[in-house]
């Protein structure tokens, strides 16, 4: 299992995503699985680095990447404002782009691409866990 810790995350989404994708667990995935995981990780990292903390706070992000025989499990942990993205209203994908409200499409795509997505708030941390069968 790879355990990554990022301190001072504001403006470092690309660096964080690159580190996640370079873990041994991720680099051993087949292309189709890696594409879905990259999409999900990019969405999570962008949301956490952009919105988890107030503007004057430059917080942390811990990422655990675990691979078993049949799946990859990635947990994102931050100390930002409690927020469960799974409770947000799902976007109406039947509306045209002009009619849709901004936001919500990214987490919707994550839920669609992953086999499991869970949220918990424990020890003053948001914990979002995604799973993908390999």
């Amino acid at each position: 299992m790879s355990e990554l810790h990022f301190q001072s995350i504001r403006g470092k989404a690309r660096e964080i995503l690159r580190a996640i994708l370079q873990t041994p667990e991720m680099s051993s995935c087949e292309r189709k699985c890696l594409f879905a995981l990259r999409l999900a990780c990019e969405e999570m990292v962008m949301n956490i680095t952009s919105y988890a903390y107030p503007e004057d706070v430059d917080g942390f992000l811990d990422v655990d990447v675990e691979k078993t025989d049949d799946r990859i499990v990635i947990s994102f942990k931050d100390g930002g404002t409690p927020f469960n993205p799974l409770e947000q209203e799902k976007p109406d994908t039947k509306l045209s782009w002009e009619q849709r409200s901004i936001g919500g499409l990214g987490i919707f795509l994550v839920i669609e691409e992953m086999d499991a997505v869970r949220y918990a708030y424990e020890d003053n941390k948001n914990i979002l866990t995604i799973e993908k069968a390999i």
Side-chain angles (χ1 to χ4, degrees):
M1 179 164 84
S2 294
E3 297 174 336
L4 307 171
H5 175 76
F6 305 96
Q7 187 70 44
S8 184
I9 63 171
R10 188 163 311 282
K12 295 185 179 174
R14 283 187 173 171
E15 176 183 323
I16 293 168
L17 181 61
R18 189 176 315 115
I20 295 168
L21 294 174
Q22 290 176 348
T23 61
E25 296 83 1
M26 295 288 276
S27 57
S28 65
C29 286
E30 64 181 54
R31 191 173 184 176
K32 184 178 178 182
C33 180
L34 186 59
F35 178 81
L37 287 166
R38 180 189 172 100
L39 173 76
C41 288
E42 186 170 359
E43 179 64 25
M44 294 301 96
V45 170
M46 287 300 295
N47 283 345
I48 293 167
T49 58
S50 299
Y51 305 117
Y53 296 94
E55 282 190 33
D56 60 335
V57 176
D58 197 10
F60 73 91
L61 172 60
D62 292 330
V63 181
D64 297 336
V65 184
E66 182 178 8
K67 184 177 180 187
T68 65
D69 290 337
D70 65 343
R71 65 186 50 247
I72 288 192
V73 179
I74 305 172
S75 294
F76 301 87
K77 302 171 191 171
D78 68 77
T81 304
F83 178 73
N84 182 349
L86 304 180
E87 291 179 345
Q88 302 309 301
E89 188 174 321
K90 292 182 174 138
D92 186 347
T93 57
K94 294 178 181 154
L95 295 175
S96 70
W97 288 105
E98 296 82 22
Q99 294 173 312
R100 290 183 197 177
S101 58
I102 295 174
L105 192 57
I107 191 66
F108 172 77
L109 291 172
V110 170
I111 293 168
E112 290 294 308
E113 287 292 323
M114 295 297 106
D115 296 307
V117 181
R118 294 182 304 279
Y119 172 83
Y121 188 76
E122 299 172 359
D123 299 324
N124 296 317
K125 292 179 188 170
N126 292 293
I127 305 168
L128 188 88
T129 303
I130 60 174
E131 291 185 27
K132 182 73 174 164
I134 52 174

